[in-house]
Amino acid sequence: MSERHRGLLFRTFALITLAALAAGCVARPVGDFGRAQPSVLHDQVMPYAGKLIATNRKEPVSNLNQTDQEREMHDRTWRFLIAAHSRDWMFDSSVELQRTRIGPARDYRYGVERYYNWLRTTQYRSSPTRYNTVGRHILADIDTLPTTFQSVCAVQEVDRQRRVALAELSGIDDSVAGNVAARHTENQWHVDWFVRALNYRYESYSYALDHLLVETPHEQSMSVDENLRRMRPWVDRANRGDFCSSNSGSGSGHGVTIPSRFQTMVHDQEIVPQK
Protein backbone atom coordinates (compact mmCIF):
# COMPACT_ATOMS: atom_id res chain seq x y z
CA MET A 1 0.00 0.00 0.00
CA SER A 2 1.45 3.35 -1.01
CA GLU A 3 2.05 6.10 1.52
CA ARG A 4 -0.53 8.29 -0.21
CA HIS A 5 -3.16 5.52 -0.14
CA ARG A 6 -2.42 4.84 3.52
CA GLY A 7 -2.82 8.53 4.31
CA LEU A 8 -6.18 8.67 2.57
CA LEU A 9 -7.43 5.63 4.47
CA PHE A 10 -6.19 7.08 7.73
CA ARG A 11 -8.05 10.33 7.14
CA THR A 12 -11.20 8.48 6.06
CA PHE A 13 -11.37 6.40 9.21
CA ALA A 14 -10.42 9.36 11.34
CA LEU A 15 -13.49 11.13 9.96
CA ILE A 16 -15.62 8.04 10.66
CA THR A 17 -14.36 8.00 14.23
CA LEU A 18 -15.09 11.70 14.68
CA ALA A 19 -18.59 11.13 13.30
CA ALA A 20 -19.10 8.30 15.78
CA LEU A 21 -17.94 10.54 18.61
CA ALA A 22 -20.35 13.27 17.50
CA ALA A 23 -23.18 10.76 17.42
CA GLY A 24 -22.37 9.56 20.93
CA CYS A 25 -21.95 5.94 19.84
CA VAL A 26 -18.29 5.31 20.69
CA ALA A 27 -19.10 3.16 23.72
CA ARG A 28 -19.46 -0.46 22.66
CA PRO A 29 -23.07 -1.71 22.90
CA VAL A 30 -23.58 -4.37 25.56
CA GLY A 31 -26.41 -6.72 26.43
CA ASP A 32 -27.16 -8.89 29.45
CA PHE A 33 -24.33 -9.59 31.91
CA GLY A 34 -22.13 -6.96 30.25
CA ARG A 35 -21.49 -9.04 27.13
CA ALA A 36 -20.70 -7.10 23.97
CA GLN A 37 -23.37 -7.03 21.28
CA PRO A 38 -22.53 -7.39 17.56
CA SER A 39 -22.01 -4.09 15.76
CA VAL A 40 -20.56 -3.36 12.31
CA LEU A 41 -19.07 -0.10 13.57
CA HIS A 42 -17.43 -1.66 16.63
CA ASP A 43 -16.54 -5.09 15.19
CA GLN A 44 -15.32 -4.11 11.74
CA VAL A 45 -14.98 -0.39 11.02
CA MET A 46 -13.30 0.80 14.23
CA PRO A 47 -10.91 -2.21 14.57
CA TYR A 48 -9.81 -1.78 10.95
CA ALA A 49 -9.20 1.91 11.50
CA GLY A 50 -7.38 1.06 14.72
CA LYS A 51 -4.99 -1.29 12.93
CA LEU A 52 -4.06 1.45 10.48
CA ILE A 53 -3.57 3.95 13.29
CA ALA A 54 -1.55 1.47 15.38
CA THR A 55 0.64 0.73 12.37
CA ASN A 56 1.16 4.46 11.93
CA ARG A 57 2.27 4.58 15.61
CA LYS A 58 4.84 1.84 14.78
CA GLU A 59 3.11 -0.66 17.10
CA PRO A 60 3.07 -4.42 16.41
CA VAL A 61 0.00 -5.32 14.31
CA SER A 62 -0.85 -8.90 13.38
CA ASN A 63 -3.11 -9.98 10.53
CA LEU A 64 -3.45 -13.59 11.75
CA ASN A 65 -6.99 -14.93 12.03
CA GLN A 66 -8.28 -14.89 15.60
CA THR A 67 -8.59 -18.28 17.28
CA ASP A 68 -11.65 -19.36 19.25
CA GLN A 69 -9.54 -19.17 22.41
CA GLU A 70 -8.51 -15.58 21.70
CA ARG A 71 -12.08 -14.58 20.96
CA GLU A 72 -13.30 -16.17 24.20
CA MET A 73 -10.60 -14.42 26.22
CA HIS A 74 -11.64 -11.05 24.79
CA ASP A 75 -15.29 -11.81 25.54
CA ARG A 76 -14.64 -12.94 29.13
CA THR A 77 -12.27 -10.13 30.05
CA TRP A 78 -14.53 -7.44 28.58
CA ARG A 79 -16.73 -7.12 31.66
CA PHE A 80 -13.64 -6.29 33.73
CA LEU A 81 -12.61 -3.49 31.38
CA ILE A 82 -15.93 -1.68 31.72
CA ALA A 83 -18.70 -1.47 34.30
CA ALA A 84 -22.19 -1.35 32.83
CA HIS A 85 -23.65 -0.54 36.24
CA SER A 86 -21.66 2.70 36.52
CA ARG A 87 -20.61 4.16 33.20
CA ASP A 88 -18.98 7.24 34.69
CA TRP A 89 -16.63 5.00 36.67
CA MET A 90 -14.97 3.01 33.87
CA PHE A 91 -14.99 5.45 30.94
CA ASP A 92 -16.74 3.23 28.36
CA SER A 93 -15.88 5.47 25.40
CA SER A 94 -12.15 5.66 26.11
CA VAL A 95 -12.13 1.91 26.81
CA GLU A 96 -13.59 1.22 23.37
CA LEU A 97 -11.07 3.51 21.67
CA GLN A 98 -8.32 1.66 23.53
CA ARG A 99 -9.73 -1.77 22.62
CA THR A 100 -9.90 -0.95 18.92
CA ARG A 101 -6.44 0.70 19.09
CA ILE A 102 -7.77 3.96 17.69
CA GLY A 103 -6.42 5.62 20.81
CA PRO A 104 -3.50 4.70 23.09
CA ALA A 105 -3.94 3.05 26.48
CA ARG A 106 -5.56 5.47 28.94
CA ASP A 107 -6.54 3.18 31.81
CA TYR A 108 -3.32 4.12 33.62
CA ARG A 109 -4.97 7.44 34.44
CA TYR A 110 -8.06 6.07 36.17
CA GLY A 111 -8.52 7.25 39.75
CA VAL A 112 -9.77 4.81 42.40
CA GLU A 113 -12.11 7.44 43.84
CA ARG A 114 -14.48 7.33 40.84
CA TYR A 115 -16.36 4.22 41.95
CA TYR A 116 -16.96 5.67 45.41
CA ASN A 117 -18.10 8.98 43.93
CA TRP A 118 -20.58 7.14 41.72
CA LEU A 119 -21.73 5.06 44.71
CA ARG A 120 -22.24 7.92 47.15
CA THR A 121 -24.14 10.08 44.64
CA THR A 122 -26.51 7.25 43.68
CA GLN A 123 -29.74 7.64 45.62
CA TYR A 124 -30.62 4.77 47.96
CA ARG A 125 -33.44 4.60 50.49
CA SER A 126 -31.07 3.18 53.11
CA SER A 127 -27.35 3.84 53.54
CA PRO A 128 -26.50 0.14 54.27
CA THR A 129 -27.72 -0.67 50.76
CA ARG A 130 -24.51 0.88 49.42
CA TYR A 131 -22.55 -1.79 51.26
CA ASN A 132 -24.80 -4.41 49.71
CA THR A 133 -24.15 -2.91 46.26
CA VAL A 134 -20.37 -3.11 46.69
CA GLY A 135 -20.68 -6.66 48.01
CA ARG A 136 -22.73 -7.78 45.00
CA HIS A 137 -20.28 -6.23 42.55
CA ILE A 138 -17.36 -8.02 44.22
CA LEU A 139 -19.21 -11.36 44.21
CA ALA A 140 -20.06 -10.94 40.51
CA ASP A 141 -16.35 -10.51 39.79
CA ILE A 142 -15.37 -13.51 41.92
CA ASP A 143 -17.96 -15.70 40.19
CA THR A 144 -16.53 -15.00 36.72
CA LEU A 145 -12.80 -14.98 37.56
CA PRO A 146 -12.22 -18.78 37.33
CA THR A 147 -13.45 -19.03 33.73
CA THR A 148 -11.71 -15.77 32.83
CA PHE A 149 -8.39 -17.11 34.12
CA GLN A 150 -8.97 -20.34 32.17
CA SER A 151 -9.53 -18.36 28.97
CA VAL A 152 -6.28 -16.45 29.48
CA CYS A 153 -4.44 -19.73 30.11
CA ALA A 154 -5.87 -21.16 26.88
CA VAL A 155 -4.55 -18.21 24.88
CA GLN A 156 -1.12 -18.55 26.47
CA GLU A 157 -1.11 -22.16 25.29
CA VAL A 158 -2.11 -21.10 21.76
CA ASP A 159 0.81 -18.65 21.70
CA ARG A 160 3.16 -21.42 22.87
CA GLN A 161 1.91 -23.79 20.18
CA ARG A 162 2.42 -21.12 17.52
CA ARG A 163 6.04 -20.64 18.58
CA VAL A 164 6.68 -24.39 18.62
CA ALA A 165 5.13 -24.88 15.17
CA LEU A 166 7.11 -21.96 13.77
CA ALA A 167 10.37 -23.39 15.12
CA GLU A 168 9.78 -26.96 13.93
CA LEU A 169 8.10 -26.52 10.54
CA SER A 170 10.00 -25.68 7.37
CA GLY A 171 8.82 -23.71 4.38
CA ILE A 172 6.97 -21.08 6.44
CA ASP A 173 7.08 -17.58 4.96
CA ASP A 174 9.28 -15.12 6.82
CA SER A 175 6.31 -12.77 7.24
CA VAL A 176 4.56 -15.38 9.39
CA ALA A 177 7.22 -15.12 12.09
CA GLY A 178 6.58 -11.38 12.32
CA ASN A 179 2.85 -11.99 12.56
CA VAL A 180 3.30 -14.60 15.29
CA ALA A 181 5.48 -12.22 17.31
CA ALA A 182 3.00 -9.36 16.80
CA ARG A 183 0.03 -11.50 17.88
CA HIS A 184 1.89 -12.65 20.98
CA THR A 185 2.52 -8.99 21.87
CA GLU A 186 -1.12 -8.08 21.21
CA ASN A 187 -2.32 -10.93 23.42
CA GLN A 188 0.10 -10.00 26.18
CA TRP A 189 -1.00 -6.37 26.03
CA HIS A 190 -4.61 -7.48 26.44
CA VAL A 191 -3.74 -9.72 29.41
CA ASP A 192 -1.78 -6.87 30.99
CA TRP A 193 -4.81 -4.63 30.52
CA PHE A 194 -7.03 -7.19 32.22
CA VAL A 195 -4.60 -7.42 35.15
CA ARG A 196 -4.58 -3.64 35.53
CA ALA A 197 -8.39 -3.59 35.37
CA LEU A 198 -8.64 -6.29 38.06
CA ASN A 199 -6.28 -4.36 40.32
CA TYR A 200 -8.22 -1.18 39.66
CA ARG A 201 -11.50 -2.83 40.62
CA TYR A 202 -10.07 -4.28 43.81
CA GLU A 203 -8.51 -0.96 44.82
CA SER A 204 -11.72 0.92 43.95
CA TYR A 205 -13.82 -1.44 46.06
CA SER A 206 -11.37 -1.14 48.95
CA TYR A 207 -11.33 2.66 48.68
CA ALA A 208 -15.13 2.74 48.64
CA LEU A 209 -15.40 0.46 51.67
CA ASP A 210 -12.95 2.55 53.69
CA HIS A 211 -14.81 5.75 52.89
CA LEU A 212 -18.25 4.26 53.47
CA LEU A 213 -17.05 3.07 56.85
CA VAL A 214 -16.21 6.67 57.76
CA GLU A 215 -19.28 8.21 56.15
CA THR A 216 -21.99 5.70 57.18
CA PRO A 217 -20.58 3.12 59.65
CA HIS A 218 -22.51 -0.13 59.62
CA GLU A 219 -22.00 -3.82 60.39
CA GLN A 220 -22.80 -4.61 56.77
CA SER A 221 -19.23 -3.50 56.03
CA MET A 222 -17.91 -6.72 57.58
CA SER A 223 -19.44 -8.93 54.89
CA VAL A 224 -18.07 -6.63 52.18
CA ASP A 225 -14.63 -6.87 53.74
CA GLU A 226 -14.91 -10.65 53.70
CA ASN A 227 -15.75 -10.55 49.99
CA LEU A 228 -12.67 -8.41 49.38
CA ARG A 229 -10.54 -10.93 51.26
CA ARG A 230 -11.88 -13.65 48.97
CA MET A 231 -11.06 -11.56 45.89
CA ARG A 232 -7.50 -10.71 46.96
CA PRO A 233 -5.92 -14.11 46.09
CA TRP A 234 -7.23 -13.79 42.52
CA VAL A 235 -5.63 -10.35 42.26
CA ASP A 236 -2.35 -11.75 43.58
CA ARG A 237 -2.43 -14.60 41.06
CA ALA A 238 -3.08 -12.18 38.21
CA ASN A 239 -0.17 -10.00 39.28
CA ARG A 240 2.08 -13.10 39.28
CA GLY A 241 0.83 -14.11 35.83
CA ASP A 242 -0.46 -17.36 37.32
CA PHE A 243 -3.50 -18.05 35.15
CA CYS A 244 -2.99 -21.79 34.63
CA SER A 245 -2.69 -22.99 38.22
CA SER A 246 -5.16 -25.71 39.16
CA ASN A 247 -5.72 -24.05 42.52
CA SER A 248 -8.72 -21.78 42.91
CA GLY A 249 -8.13 -18.18 43.79
CA SER A 250 -9.40 -18.73 47.30
CA GLY A 251 -6.99 -21.60 47.82
CA SER A 252 -3.83 -20.00 46.49
CA GLY A 253 -2.93 -18.12 49.65
CA HIS A 254 -0.75 -20.98 50.98
CA GLY A 255 -2.53 -20.92 54.32
CA VAL A 256 -1.95 -17.21 54.97
CA THR A 257 -5.01 -15.45 56.32
CA ILE A 258 -5.43 -11.87 55.17
CA PRO A 259 -6.34 -9.88 58.29
CA SER A 260 -9.57 -7.94 58.38
CA ARG A 261 -9.39 -4.16 58.43
CA PHE A 262 -11.93 -4.16 61.28
CA GLN A 263 -11.27 -4.60 64.98
CA THR A 264 -14.58 -3.43 66.44
CA MET A 265 -17.80 -2.28 64.87
CA VAL A 266 -20.78 -0.26 66.05
CA HIS A 267 -23.55 -2.73 66.84
CA ASP A 268 -26.37 -2.37 64.38
CA GLN A 269 -28.65 -5.29 63.70
CA GLU A 270 -29.89 -4.10 60.29
CA ILE A 271 -27.77 -6.39 58.07
CA VAL A 272 -28.71 -6.36 54.39
CA PRO A 273 -28.30 -9.91 53.01
CA GLN A 274 -25.90 -10.39 50.06
CA LYS A 275 -27.56 -11.60 46.87
Side-chain angles (χ1 to χ4, degrees):
M1 181 184 295
S2 68
E3 197 66 30
R4 179 175 177 275
H5 192 199
R6 190 189 303 275
L8 287 173
L9 283 175
F10 182 86
R11 285 193 295 272
T12 298
F13 283 103
L15 289 172
I16 291 173
T17 303
L18 287 173
L21 281 166
C25 59
V26 173
R28 195 179 188 187
V30 296
D32 295 339
F33 308 109
R35 289 186 176 272
Q37 290 183 328
S39 164
V40 173
L41 174 64
H42 294 271
D43 297 335
Q44 298 179 33
V45 176
M46 291 178 68
Y48 186 70
K51 284 188 175 184
L52 293 177
I53 295 171
T55 300
N56 192 63
R57 291 197 300 257
K58 309 300 183 183
E59 296 176 355
V61 176
S62 170
N63 62 11
L64 296 179
N65 286 324
Q66 191 178 55
T67 65
D68 291 346
Q69 293 90 336
E70 289 166 333
R71 186 175 298 106
E72 181 175 359
M73 179 186 74
H74 282 258
D75 288 344
R76 290 192 179 279
T77 56
W78 179 247
R79 69 172 303 279
F80 289 92
L81 307 181
I82 63 167
H85 53 263
S86 52
R87 295 189 181 277
D88 287 341
W89 171 35
M90 292 290 278
F91 314 94
D92 287 10
S93 294
S94 64
V95 166
E96 180 63 351
L97 293 175
Q98 181 173 336
R99 180 190 74 87
T100 56
R101 302 181 72 176
I102 290 175
R106 297 183 181 277
D107 62 289
Y108 296 96
R109 306 176 185 179
Y110 293 177
V112 295
E113 75 283 351
R114 292 185 66 91
Y115 177 68
Y116 172 66
N117 290 340
W118 166 81
L119 192 69
R120 73 184 304 269
T121 56
T122 301
Q123 296 300 315
Y124 291 101
R125 295 184 62 184
S126 174
S127 59
T129 308
R130 290 188 175 85
Y131 288 105
N132 190 40
T133 299
V134 179
R136 285 189 290 105
H137 291 166
I138 298 172
L139 287 177
D141 288 348
I142 293 173
D143 287 345
T144 57
L145 279 170
T147 52
T148 303
F149 271 49
Q150 290 169 13
S151 70
V152 173
C153 179
V155 168
Q156 291 178 338
E157 175 61 17
V158 166
D159 278 334
R160 186 193 69 82
Q161 290 175 359
R162 283 196 182 110
R163 293 193 297 271
V164 171
L166 188 65
E168 295 183 352
L169 297 176
S170 60
I172 304 296
D173 293 341
D174 292 340
S175 61
V176 176
N179 270 307
V180 168
R183 177 57 57 84
H184 173 69
T185 299
E186 290 170 341
N187 286 338
Q188 188 57 54
W189 282 355
H190 191 87
V191 173
D192 291 344
W193 188 11
F194 163 66
V195 173
R196 293 195 303 270
L198 184 59
N199 276 279
Y200 178 63
R201 279 175 176 254
Y202 178 85
E203 292 165 4
S204 295
Y205 295 144
S206 183
Y207 180 97
L209 179 56
D210 286 344
H211 285 71
L212 284 175
L213 186 61
V214 173
E215 184 174 3
T216 55
H218 195 276
E219 281 190 351
Q220 187 70 25
S221 57
M222 299 180 70
S223 64
V224 178
D225 185 57
E226 177 60 27
N227 289 347
L228 271 175
R229 293 169 67 190
R230 290 175 54 197
M231 185 179 182
R232 182 70 209 191
W234 290 104
V235 177
D236 292 339
R237 277 187 57 184
N239 288 329
R240 295 196 305 268
D242 177 17
F243 299 101
C244 299
S245 173
S246 59
N247 294 329
S248 67
S250 59
S252 59
H254 305 292
V256 177
T257 301
I258 303 174
S260 170
R261 71 190 68 199
F262 304 109
Q263 297 298 326
T264 59
M265 292 296 303
V266 176
H267 290 287
D268 187 335
Q269 300 304 315
E270 185 190 0
I271 305 284
V272 181
Q274 299 292 323
K275 297 181 180 179

